[in-house]
Amino acid sequence: MERPPDPAAGSRQMLKTIDVDQLRPGMFIQRLHGSWLKHPFWRSSFLASEQDVERIRASAVESVEIDVRRGLDAPPADRRQAVDPGGHEASASVGAAADPDPATGAGSRADAVAGPHAAADLGSELTRARRICQEGRDAVEAMFREVRMGRMVDPAAMLPLADEITASVDRHPGALISIARLKTADDYTYLHSVAVSALMVALARQLGLDEAQCREAAMGGLLHDLGKACMPLDILNKPGQLTDDEYMVMRTHPEEGERLLRHSGLENAAVLHMVRHHHEKYDGGGYPARLPADAIPLLTRMSAVCDVYDAITSNRPYKEGWDPGESLRRMASWKGHFDPAVLKAFIASVGIYPIGTLVRLSSERLAVVLEQGPGALSAPRVRVFFSARLRRQVLQQDLDLWAPGCGERITGIESPRQWGFRELEKLWAP
């Protein structure tokens, strides 16, 4: 399923940082500076109304970034230096970038390098993603702790975190998804919710869902495993395979999660359905209700894909995670497990070769995927570091496989474990 064109893709943002006392209704806010704990907004990118301006000024936020191409500019006396999304100075007279290539949905290579998904921007977003993961882990752990203490949870308290996740995915889809995958076995229960939320947002964008559905996707991802807070810790954290009895206990977590949320006052039907039925299968073989495909709403079908992908790519108490590229290949082979159209869109959202995938090139060198390219999904940006033929490290080299004249291509996915690469993430997330 092809991603619908982004109306902002044909031109670069023009961002300006202004103090909140300079904010006016009609300005498009691209980013609220500061932690999500400082403001009450669902999203940090929106067209400001008079009420929004009043709420921001009453919050702890001191400055914001506005996009002057999508809303009002700051008055001449209030002008600040414009910056592009990568943080570089830019002239206010810079025109729109070249129109996207109708065949690929991508602009020129020069525009792609300078645009919001450029390598420098990926680096800065990886830094933000680490912060979001830490804040997210703490927030989800706190919610689980409330459940274990017998207190009622407040799902609305997760809205700011969902906002941060959505904003990060919008800035660069691969950054937060990739960082969240690096969770340790001890952090899995909490960061899994953050990761699934990010994957749900990316998939929702890929499918062209509206803002309301994207919000439900983000919240459903954060809340889908809340029922695990009701599971005995010795079962939840068991380092070995569960017994049949223990497995039957674990299978109750979706229903427990829905019960907790209903008792908390949550009434959103889409989120409640995701929480209860994210383990249903497209062929009707899932649990807890063995629902047939036509009884599973789209967002729930999406959650099934995102939940499994993060689970099998993460280190867990009883197993090491699989390589992301290998995980996609295995998921595609599980006939009847997922909605084929949703899985296809998911692969497009994370890339055939997700960030961190170990690949073999036509030159018999090994490389790790750094970033999805602006052209074909099969031609990402990679970092070459090892000779498979000589079985030794080589001088690191970054290649854009989509660039004209690049003679390299990917010939297959390799297993980091089989090659003995234990800390491959240091090559792409230093």
Side-chain angles (χ1 to χ4, degrees):
M1 183 178 295
E2 295 297 326
R3 185 174 186 169
D6 180 355
S11 62
R12 294 178 61 188
Q13 298 165 322
M14 183 61 66
L15 305 183
K16 294 182 179 180
T17 298
I18 62 172
D19 296 333
V20 293
D21 59 359
Q22 299 167 310
L23 186 62
R24 301 289 185 271
M27 290 182 175
F28 188 90
I29 297 174
Q30 183 64 31
R31 175 177 168 80
L32 295 162
H33 288 167
S35 168
W36 55 265
L37 294 171
K38 293 184 177 181
H39 66 80
F41 291 91
W42 169 257
R43 298 205 56 200
S44 59
S45 300
F46 54 91
L47 189 66
S49 66
E50 185 172 350
Q51 183 181 15
D52 293 332
V53 172
E54 292 175 356
R55 293 175 70 193
I56 292 173
R57 289 177 178 171
S59 74
V61 174
E62 297 179 354
S63 62
V64 300
E65 283 181 7
I66 61 171
D67 186 344
V68 303
R69 300 213 178 184
R70 304 175 69 181
L72 297 179
D73 198 351
D78 295 339
R79 289 191 183 274
R80 293 290 192 270
Q81 175 62 53
V83 296
D84 69 19
H88 304 294
E89 295 183 359
S91 167
S93 63
V94 174
D99 291 336
D101 184 327
T104 65
S108 67
R109 184 58 187 158
D111 180 56
V113 170
H117 288 185
D121 190 54
L122 172 60
S124 62
E125 195 56 43
L126 288 172
T127 300
R128 295 189 191 101
R130 289 187 178 91
R131 173 183 57 79
I132 293 170
C133 281
Q134 183 57 54
E135 292 178 348
R137 185 211 177 282
D138 294 344
V140 175
E141 183 182 25
M143 183 172 61
F144 273 52
R145 189 164 54 245
E146 292 293 293
V147 173
R148 289 168 180 154
M149 294 176 68
R151 298 173 181 167
M152 186 174 294
V153 297
D154 178 14
M158 304 303 287
L159 290 175
L161 175 57
D163 175 21
E164 281 280 277
I165 291 170
T166 301
S168 177
V169 172
D170 286 346
R171 286 190 298 264
H172 199 298
L176 179 56
I177 289 170
S178 302
I179 290 296
R181 196 182 67 243
L182 300 181
K183 65 186 76 67
T184 65
D186 291 338
D187 286 338
Y188 173 79
T189 298
Y190 309 118
L191 277 177
H192 174 63
S193 297
V194 177
V196 172
S197 181
L199 290 165
M200 287 289 289
V201 172
L203 180 52
R205 296 297 193 209
Q206 180 69 33
L207 290 167
L209 303 189
D210 61 32
E211 287 301 311
Q213 290 172 305
C214 286
R215 291 171 182 174
E216 291 171 336
M219 284 297 288
L222 281 173
L223 299 172
H224 81 287
D225 263 350
L226 179 60
K228 286 185 177 179
C230 299
M231 300 296 102
L233 290 177
D234 58 337
I235 295 179
L236 186 63
N237 299 323
K238 185 176 180 178
Q241 187 173 357
L242 300 181
T243 66
D244 290 344
D245 289 343
E246 290 169 337
Y247 182 60
M248 291 305 295
V249 172
M250 279 299 299
R251 281 171 61 109
T252 66
H253 80 267
E255 295 159 292
E256 288 294 323
E258 185 202 33
R259 177 186 61 80
L260 289 169
L261 292 171
R262 285 191 183 278
H263 287 178
S264 75
L266 183 69
E267 298 179 348
N268 186 291
V271 172
L272 290 171
H273 199 281
M274 273 187 275
V275 172
R276 186 180 181 92
H277 296 291
H278 61 274
H279 285 292
E280 302 287 355
K281 296 182 181 179
Y282 196 63
D283 62 3
Y287 68 89
R290 299 181 66 87
L291 294 179
D294 59 5
I296 308 175
L298 175 60
L299 287 174
T300 302
R301 282 179 269 149
M302 292 163 55
S303 69
V305 174
C306 296
D307 174 69
V308 169
Y309 175 79
D310 185 67
I312 64 178
T313 56
S314 301
N315 290 327
R316 305 176 71 179
Y318 53 88
K319 78 170 189 68
E320 285 189 31
W322 294 338
D323 176 80
E326 175 67 16
S327 297
L328 290 179
R329 186 164 60 185
R330 294 195 187 198
M331 289 172 68
S333 71
W334 297 342
K335 304 304 181 186
H337 200 126
F338 309 109
D339 178 339
V342 170
L343 181 59
K344 181 178 179 181
F346 179 78
I347 293 172
S349 71
V350 298
I352 297 174
Y353 307 108
I355 294 174
T357 301
L358 181 66
V359 295
R360 182 186 291 257
L361 303 179
S362 51
S363 63
E364 291 301 308
R365 295 183 295 174
L366 302 184
V368 63
V369 174
L370 299 177
E371 189 175 10
Q372 304 307 311
L377 290 174
S378 59
R381 238 176 24 95
V382 301
R383 176 162 293 159
V384 179
F385 69 97
F386 196 86
S387 170
R389 182 172 56 84
L390 301 176
R391 305 188 72 84
R392 69 185 184 197
Q393 293 187 13
V394 296
L395 185 66
Q396 291 184 17
Q397 177 186 11
D398 292 357
L399 295 177
D400 186 343
L401 302 184
W402 182 79
C406 179
E408 290 276 24
R409 60 182 177 84
I410 294 175
T411 60
I413 295 173
E414 296 289 327
S415 168
R417 286 186 296 277
Q418 290 181 1
W419 284 95
F421 302 146
R422 296 297 180 185
E423 296 181 314
L424 199 62
E425 67 271 11
K426 291 185 177 179
L427 286 173
W428 61 266

